[in-house]
Amino acid sequence: MRKFRDLIIPGVDKRLLVKDATRLLPDPARRRFLAMGASFGALTLLTGCDVVDEDSAESLLKYVSKFNDAVQSALFNPDTLAPTYPESAITRPFPFNAYYGLDEAPEVEAADYKFEVTGLVDNKKAWTLQELYALPQFKQITRHICVEGWSAIGSWTGASLRDFLKLVGADTRAKYCWFRCAEGYTGTLDMPTALHPQTQMTFKYDDKILPKAYGFPMKIRVPTKLGFKNPKYVIAMEVTNDYKGGYWEDQGYNAFSGS
Amino acid sequence: MSSIAADHAGADHSHVSARGRVIQPGWVRVLHWINAVAMILMIMSGWQVYNASPLFGFTFPHTITLGGWLGGALLWHFAAMWLLMVNGLVYLAAGLLTGRFRRKLTPLSVPGVLGDLRAALAGKLAHDDLTVYNQVQKLLYAGIIVVGIVVVLSGLSIWKPVQLQWLTAVFGGYDTARYVHFGCMAAIVGFLVVHVALALLVPKSLRAMIIGR
């Protein structure tokens, strides 16, 4: 993990900067006036570390991010559907994206695969791939938006997570669905998003069984959230009231991150 | 507020000496500097966000960005946005309600701008009365307010392209909205360079924005 120190701009010493700036100016009165201005600029713009110590900057930013989570979930309308697109709009090739290369992506054996369902659910039985494939499926062509800023349109087919949660008798008043993946990746979805009609347990990409690059055997496709909230290689789900974070959430990405 | 009253008095700018008179009322100065801080934080963290997925064939040097990495930059960007938005809304409301926008930024005409631009480039533009903006200033100050509104709206449209999809559509879709957002940033940075250079060339204008006179 990167140190929070990096959040603050390194480099310029404000005392030296003010000294340099004032030396250039002959008139003493003006010098004092500009020294004030320069120190103001230096304080606010250049050396955050001298104004606020790192710990308080870190906790303030984290506090605002939590505040933003609350604002976003209050504004989130679970009935708003993500725009859908025609086949012709699909981005080809759809990019592979992870914090590791494709050759390091997990290789999941279809025959051994079990989807564990735990937490606040009536039926904690593990699901085989064949059982999951037998669920009613729907296809949607939506835009995947990465936290980095790029976007790509893809075609995903799978089962409704909302219907699945009802099927297993999940307590949908619980706050979160927490997912665990084959390579150790984790992620949390808030319950209103898990119950969104477009949130999908995805088994196919572009009408073909999900390739390794896109998360075989199962991806959770959430068109109302940024890409990192769409876990691939999903092997377990826990319905819970405890916020368990996630791989990127724990490193500082905004936990709600809904679009 | 006495400073607003003084600003109203400043509307009658004809023959009064600039000495001792409030050129920039207190509320303008406070909002101006809060906006300056918010804008710098938004721009520098925005450059770091841009670097994660550049739109053009360049990235911004790490030393002039804020946040250290994408996650840190986003924390700054989505914290400073509140400062920018709340401060900006107060400024727009106050500018409209006090009549400052109407007094300071109108009338504005194409021949007026061209005439003042010629005079400025010839070094013949007077700055005797800082309470009165010339046509070039009016255009730039009115223009940057519009750009400020568009940068916030385009930013919202790429932050919430599902919830605010109508707004994203106004900007030509998600990918195009990113270019709009970048273009507004570039316009603001361009404005900033000219604005700071001119304020330093006419130091009494900078003094007026700090102590009011």
Side-chain angles (χ1 to χ4, degrees):
Chain A
M1 244 186 80
R2 281 164 224 243
K3 282 168 68 183
F4 214 82
R5 196 180 190 292
D6 290 346
L7 287 176
I8 289 144
I9 327 150
V12 183
D13 183 312
K14 100 169 182 274
R15 284 166 299 267
L16 288 179
L17 184 84
V18 172
K19 229 164 96 186
D20 285 348
T22 48
R23 213 177 4 208
L24 296 169
L25 299 150
D27 171 41
R30 185 184 283 180
R31 182 185 300 160
R32 195 178 325 123
F33 157 65
L34 272 175
M36 278 164 51
S39 64
F40 174 80
L43 278 166
T44 49
L45 312 181
L46 298 170
T47 66
C49 26
D50 285 347
V51 192
V52 267
D53 65 281
E54 292 162 26
D55 286 347
S56 59
E58 173 173 3
S59 52
L60 179 67
L61 287 178
K62 282 190 172 165
Y63 178 84
V64 177
S65 191
K66 283 219 179 75
F67 170 74
N68 286 345
D69 282 340
V71 171
Q72 291 176 95
S73 63
L75 294 178
F76 179 77
N77 179 350
D79 299 326
T80 304
L81 296 179
T84 53
Y85 300 86
E87 298 263 351
S88 57
I90 294 174
T91 307
R92 298 182 193 277
F94 190 87
F96 163 79
N97 192 56
Y99 58 91
Y100 43 76
L102 182 53
D103 48 345
E104 294 158 277
E107 201 77 62
V108 178
E109 275 301 322
D112 305 338
Y113 179 80
K114 291 264 182 169
F115 177 49
E116 286 173 37
V117 180
T118 58
L120 304 169
V121 293
D122 293 336
N123 187 351
K124 293 193 174 68
K125 127 188 173 58
W127 291 65
T128 66
L129 202 47
Q130 286 317 308
E131 288 168 330
L132 290 172
Y133 283 167
L135 295 167
Q137 298 190 23
F138 65 100
K139 175 164 128 181
Q140 65 191 9
I141 300 171
T142 50
R143 185 185 294 274
H144 169 109
I145 296 173
C146 181
V147 66
E148 293 171 342
W150 57 266
S151 80
I153 293 170
S155 162
W156 290 274
T157 303
S160 154
L161 180 61
R162 176 174 62 178
D163 292 349
F164 183 79
L165 286 167
K166 283 178 186 151
L167 187 66
V168 299
D171 179 0
T172 52
R173 293 162 307 169
K175 286 187 187 155
Y176 308 104
C177 289
W178 182 74
F179 296 96
R180 199 156 47 80
C181 307
E183 81 279 46
Y185 189 88
T186 52
T188 298
L189 275 189
D190 54 282
M191 189 58 81
T193 302
L195 296 174
H196 188 277
Q198 288 173 311
T199 300
Q200 187 186 70
M201 302 161 78
T202 302
F203 307 117
K204 284 181 178 169
Y205 180 80
D206 204 9
D207 299 324
K208 289 180 271 298
I209 292 295
L210 213 54
K212 183 172 104 166
Y214 305 148
F216 181 83
M218 181 169 77
K219 171 194 176 79
I220 304 297
R221 171 66 193 142
V222 194
T224 55
K225 292 276 187 188
L226 294 179
F228 78 90
K229 307 285 289 185
N230 291 231
K232 304 190 282 273
Y233 322 103
V234 175
I235 55 170
M237 173 178 76
E238 183 180 339
V239 177
T240 174
N241 277 311
D242 303 323
Y243 176 69
K244 298 187 172 228
Y247 181 85
W248 284 116
E249 289 90 335
D250 296 350
Q251 295 183 58
Y253 284 166
N254 175 260
F256 189 85
S257 284
S259 43
Chain B
M1 218 166 91
S2 62
S3 55
I4 290 180
D7 190 40
H8 273 289
D12 175 29
H13 47 70
S14 43
H15 303 294
V16 192
S17 152
R19 184 169 291 278
R21 192 162 47 124
V22 171
I23 299 167
Q24 303 291 3
W27 68 268
V28 169
R29 283 178 276 143
V30 169
L31 297 181
H32 171 271
W33 290 110
I34 292 175
N35 183 64
V37 171
M39 272 294 183
I40 299 282
L41 291 176
M42 290 304 275
I43 290 168
M44 291 174 68
S45 57
W47 287 345
Q48 181 72 52
V49 175
Y50 165 94
N51 284 354
S53 177
L55 294 170
F56 303 100
F58 68 90
T59 57
F60 294 96
H62 191 256
T63 45
I64 57 164
T65 65
L66 178 64
W69 71 296
L70 175 60
L74 288 169
L75 288 180
W76 278 104
H77 210 67
F78 292 132
M81 76 170 180
W82 291 109
L83 196 61
L84 186 79
M85 268 201 304
V86 172
N87 191 68
L89 287 173
V90 171
Y91 175 72
L92 289 179
L96 292 170
L97 292 176
T98 62
R100 179 182 167 89
F101 288 165
R102 185 178 41 76
R103 272 198 321 281
K104 295 277 192 179
L105 305 178
T106 59
L108 189 54
S109 71
V110 176
V113 170
L114 292 177
D116 278 358
L117 191 60
R118 259 196 299 274
L121 293 176
K124 286 181 192 152
L125 199 59
H127 294 289
D128 301 336
D129 188 348
L130 290 177
T131 61
V132 183
Y133 292 152
N134 63 55
Q135 289 279 301
V136 177
Q137 281 176 304
K138 284 181 184 182
L139 177 69
L140 285 178
Y141 292 142
I144 204 65
I145 291 170
V146 173
V147 173
I149 293 169
V150 177
V151 82
V152 169
L153 292 179
S154 60
L156 286 172
S157 83
I158 54 180
W159 187 39
K160 296 285 164 231
V162 173
Q163 295 295 330
L164 303 179
Q165 49 192 274
W166 53 272
L167 187 60
T168 316
V170 166
F171 288 111
Y174 175 83
D175 288 333
T176 312
R178 289 182 70 204
Y179 285 93
V180 174
H181 197 56
F182 184 95
C184 290
M185 178 281 295
I188 290 167
V189 171
F191 171 87
L192 205 61
V193 170
V194 175
H195 183 63
V196 170
L198 291 178
L200 293 176
L201 273 174
V202 188
K204 61 183 177 177
S205 68
L206 179 57
R207 188 188 62 188
M209 192 47 89
I210 296 173
I211 63 170
R213 291 162 198 278

